[in-house]
Amino acid sequence: MRLEKAYERMTAVAVAALHEREPGRLWPLLAGTLAEVCGGETVIHKLDDWSERSGTIGTVPDGAAAELARLGGADLGLLRAGYPFAGHYGPGTDRTPVTAHRAAGRTWPDSPTARLLREVLDVDHVLGVPLPGSAAPITGCLVYRSGADFTDDELVMAERVQPLLAAVERQRQLLVEWRALGPSGAPQEQAADCALTPRETAVLVLLTDALTADAIGRRLGISVRTVHKHVENIYRKLGTRDRVGTVLRAQRLGLVPSPGPAQAAWARRP
């Protein structure tokens, strides 16, 4: 797949993911296409705080999850340790995608992690695609394949799609937090009733936080002009004319928490 066509394909899938209301479906939508455009066979993605003992992982295809589920604690901990990427990315801020072979050199094929991957997933090579800006714990994806190592073009593609992955992950986090603060099913049902898209919902959540358009754009990875367009759509759909009226209307509809303990907890989140 040529680079431009591959990038267009990944962009289209990322846009589709941003219109998905169920946050648990965002990464499954992305991961399969990420494997496709980067020449991989299997993808493991990390979703939350991570250690050798805990942390949520997602896999594509589903069969990979079944293989990982059969691992004992020691073997699973070996994979969670993230060799050699934890050591490669940990000390600095560079998040450029790199393969295990390029990060570890000649030691990679004979490492315990490489041997385990051959036995469990029948793969020889791993491409690390961390989310740009992620700190400890570093989050992102690992793309696996058998045969030859990933090519230079495939590494270029991995770097190009990093901002797309980061944008989807930021929205996933917002949707998860937003849904956790209201009664089960209520906020998302109200958003659907108001015809708010998931992207508009994310902007509304950040409006409630009193963020400026610049700050919302930085948080979501979009331009200020796009933020203003989403805000105009929110005003039209909620029948409001300004930020304060919009937040009050959203609170009355149950779209965002009303002032009180829940609102205070929302405001204190990082």
Side-chain angles (χ1 to χ4, degrees):
M1 186 180 294
R2 296 184 62 181
L3 286 177
E4 289 306 317
K5 289 292 186 183
Y7 183 72
E8 289 174 7
R9 166 73 173 145
M10 193 72 214
T11 300
V13 172
V15 170
L18 291 174
H19 285 82
E20 173 57 55
R21 296 187 182 277
E22 172 54 58
R25 295 176 183 166
L26 269 65
W27 270 107
L29 281 172
L30 285 179
T33 306
L34 177 65
E36 177 186 340
V37 301
C38 292
E41 301 163 9
T42 301
V43 172
I44 292 178
H45 49 90
K46 305 191 298 184
L47 295 177
D48 52 24
D49 287 348
W50 192 259
S51 72
E52 293 183 28
R53 294 177 299 279
S54 64
T56 305
I57 63 172
T59 61
V60 171
D62 292 338
E67 293 297 328
L68 294 180
R70 298 189 184 99
L71 293 180
D75 285 342
L76 192 56
L78 185 63
L79 290 184
R80 286 182 176 280
Y83 175 82
F85 302 107
H88 176 80
Y89 292 117
T93 59
D94 183 12
R95 298 292 179 261
T96 305
V98 68
T99 69
H101 192 274
R102 297 186 190 203
R106 296 180 180 178
T107 63
W108 165 249
D110 295 323
S111 67
T113 302
R115 290 197 296 269
L116 180 63
L117 289 172
R118 286 194 293 269
E119 294 170 5
V120 176
L121 298 177
D122 193 27
V123 296
D124 306 296
H125 299 282
V126 189
L127 169 61
V129 189
L131 295 182
S134 64
I138 298 169
T139 57
C141 306
L142 296 174
V143 185
Y144 301 84
R145 84 172 183 199
S146 56
D149 198 5
F150 294 86
T151 67
D152 289 342
D153 278 352
E154 288 161 347
L155 266 71
V156 168
M157 177 53 56
E159 187 171 1
R160 286 192 67 183
V161 303
Q162 279 179 300
L164 300 177
L165 303 180
V168 172
E169 174 59 10
R170 284 191 290 265
Q171 176 141 324
R172 184 194 71 84
Q173 291 174 354
L174 276 172
L175 292 178
V176 167
E177 294 168 358
W178 169 66
R179 293 178 64 156
L181 287 171
S184 178
Q188 49 269 35
E189 290 173 6
Q190 289 290 351
D193 289 344
C194 295
L196 291 176
T197 68
R199 201 57 160 168
E200 289 164 356
T201 301
V203 171
L204 175 61
V205 167
L206 297 177
L207 279 177
T208 307
D209 273 353
L211 296 186
T212 65
D214 284 342
I216 292 173
R218 288 194 298 272
R219 179 77 183 269
L220 295 178
I222 57 180
S223 69
V224 173
R225 180 179 179 181
T226 300
V227 173
H228 285 308
K229 184 170 182 59
H230 287 314
V231 171
E232 289 172 4
N233 289 337
I234 294 167
Y235 287 178
R236 175 174 52 81
K237 292 177 181 181
L238 297 188
T240 56
R241 295 185 177 182
D242 56 38
R243 178 190 290 254
V244 173
T246 299
V247 171
L248 292 174
R249 173 73 171 157
Q251 289 170 343
R252 287 195 295 270
L253 292 173
L255 287 164
V256 296
S258 297
Q263 180 76 4
W266 178 267
R268 287 196 301 269
R269 84 188 191 284

